[in-house]
Amino acid sequence: FSGTLPLIIHSPGLLLAIYYGSVASKYGRKPVLLLFSTGMLLSLGWVVLICWLDGRAPVRLIWLSSLFMFVGGGQKIAKAMLFTSISDAVDASHRHVPYHLALIVAANPRE
């Protein structure tokens, strides 16, 4: 089961990248980031609920928290919106500094 959780966590971003990219193009990045935030809060709330139940629910139910990441597409979509925003806001000759800062902030040791 060691590879199951990473597969489940990254599935929403892989499956919905094109869809949320087109949504961001049509409606803007703010709604997509709002959806990502909603999905992330729901996902974290689910994990907290399972932990709060303290043995009354199987721990593997935490895997279902990734279903909430289909709302907003997960971390991959949020990172894409971040880098797209940097590309729009910063001149091409000076983008390397914000990109490096964003990579440091967005780095996830589990990925």
Side-chain angles (χ1 to χ4, degrees), residues 67-111:
L67 292 176
F68 294 109
M69 296 309 292
F70 280 96
V71 178
Q75 294 177 359
K76 303 293 182 201
I77 304 303
K79 288 178 185 178
M81 295 299 111
L82 172 67
F83 286 111
T84 304
S85 297
I86 291 171
S87 295
D88 287 347
V90 180
D91 184 37
S93 63
H94 300 292
R95 280 187 199 149
H96 63 282
V97 174
Y99 279 158
H100 288 296
L101 293 173
L103 282 172
I104 291 169
V105 170
N108 189 348
R110 294 180 293 162
E111 291 185 33

Side-chain angles (χ1 to χ4, degrees), residues 3-17 66 69-70 73-77 79 108-111:
T4 305
L5 186 59
L7 174 69
I8 294 171
I9 288 172
H10 295 294
S11 294
L14 293 171
L15 297 173
L16 298 172
S66 294
M69 296 309 292
F70 280 96
Q75 294 177 359
K76 303 293 182 201
I77 304 303
K79 288 178 185 178
N108 189 348
R110 294 180 293 162
E111 291 185 33

Side-chain angles (χ1 to χ4, degrees), residues 12 20 31-47 64-75:
Y20 278 112
V32 174
L33 288 173
L34 182 64
L35 284 171
F36 161 74
S37 298
T38 303
M40 181 62 82
L41 286 173
L42 290 171
S43 178
L44 292 173
W46 179 259
V47 172
L64 295 178
S65 68
S66 294
L67 292 176
F68 294 109
M69 296 309 292
F70 280 96
V71 178
Q75 294 177 359

